[in-house]
Amino acid sequence: MATDEIAVAPDGSQVVLGEVGQKVVFENAHIRVWDIVLEPGERQTWHRHRNPYVVIALSAADNRIDPLDGTEPRLVHEPFGGVVYREPGEVHMLTNHGDTRYHSRLVELKTPGGDAAGGASEAGAESGDA
């Protein structure tokens, strides 16, 4: 599932966006499930979620979310078993900011149009984003 999408950073430079996860482990007409593993200091590529999604932390970790729009990075602790729901839209990069391995499953909720922009909202345990 390659993406050729380009985003523009505040300085005007173009950024090629990558996938929202590293490996699709399940997909049907309703959902797509990604596996994400980041070792300490490792980061994902810049990406944009096109669908609402749920992240389930399979291991606890401290992560940093850097939005491409230049707003302040967010430091988030994702506890083991923590669940977070987010709306699509923001271009960001996720970095494992801690000293433990981060492992999660990201469940994209496929929707007609699937391209709504929106802010983030959390449900359940306080946790971060992938």
Side-chain angles (χ1 to χ4, degrees), residues 7 23 63 86:
K23 178 183 177 186
N63 292 317
R86 296 215 183 261

Side-chain angles (χ1 to χ4, degrees), residues 98-109:
D99 57 6
T100 60
R101 181 181 202 231
Y102 174 61
H103 188 195
S104 70
R105 291 287 164 93
L106 186 147
V107 181
E108 283 186 273
L109 308 172

Side-chain angles (χ1 to χ4, degrees), residues 8-129:
V8 178
D11 67 2
S13 63
Q14 293 187 339
V15 176
V16 177
L17 302 183
E19 299 291 356
V20 300
Q22 295 161 335
K23 178 183 177 186
V24 175
V25 295
F26 178 83
E27 184 169 9
N28 65 22
H30 306 287
I31 66 170
R32 180 180 304 120
V33 181
W34 294 88
D35 190 56
I36 300 168
V37 175
L38 296 174
E39 298 299 334
E42 191 175 9
R43 70 182 73 187
Q44 281 186 288
T45 59
W46 291 105
H47 61 278
R48 177 192 332 260
H49 296 269
R50 289 289 179 192
N51 297 301
Y53 61 100
V54 174
V55 178
I56 304 160
L58 302 178
S59 63
D62 292 308
N63 292 317
R64 176 180 161 146
I65 301 166
D66 289 280
L68 183 63
D69 67 7
T71 58
E72 289 294 315
R74 299 184 303 276
L75 299 179
V76 294
H77 175 73
E78 297 200 37
F80 168 74
V83 178
V84 65
Y85 169 83
R86 296 215 183 261
E87 292 289 334
E90 177 187 68
V91 175
H92 62 271
M93 177 186 297
L94 180 71
T95 302
N96 181 339
H97 186 67
D99 57 6
T100 60
R101 181 181 202 231
Y102 174 61
H103 188 195
S104 70
R105 291 287 164 93
L106 186 147
V107 181
E108 283 186 273
L109 308 172
K110 295 180 179 180
T111 58
D115 203 5
S121 65
E122 296 186 15
E126 183 179 330
S127 62
D129 164 86

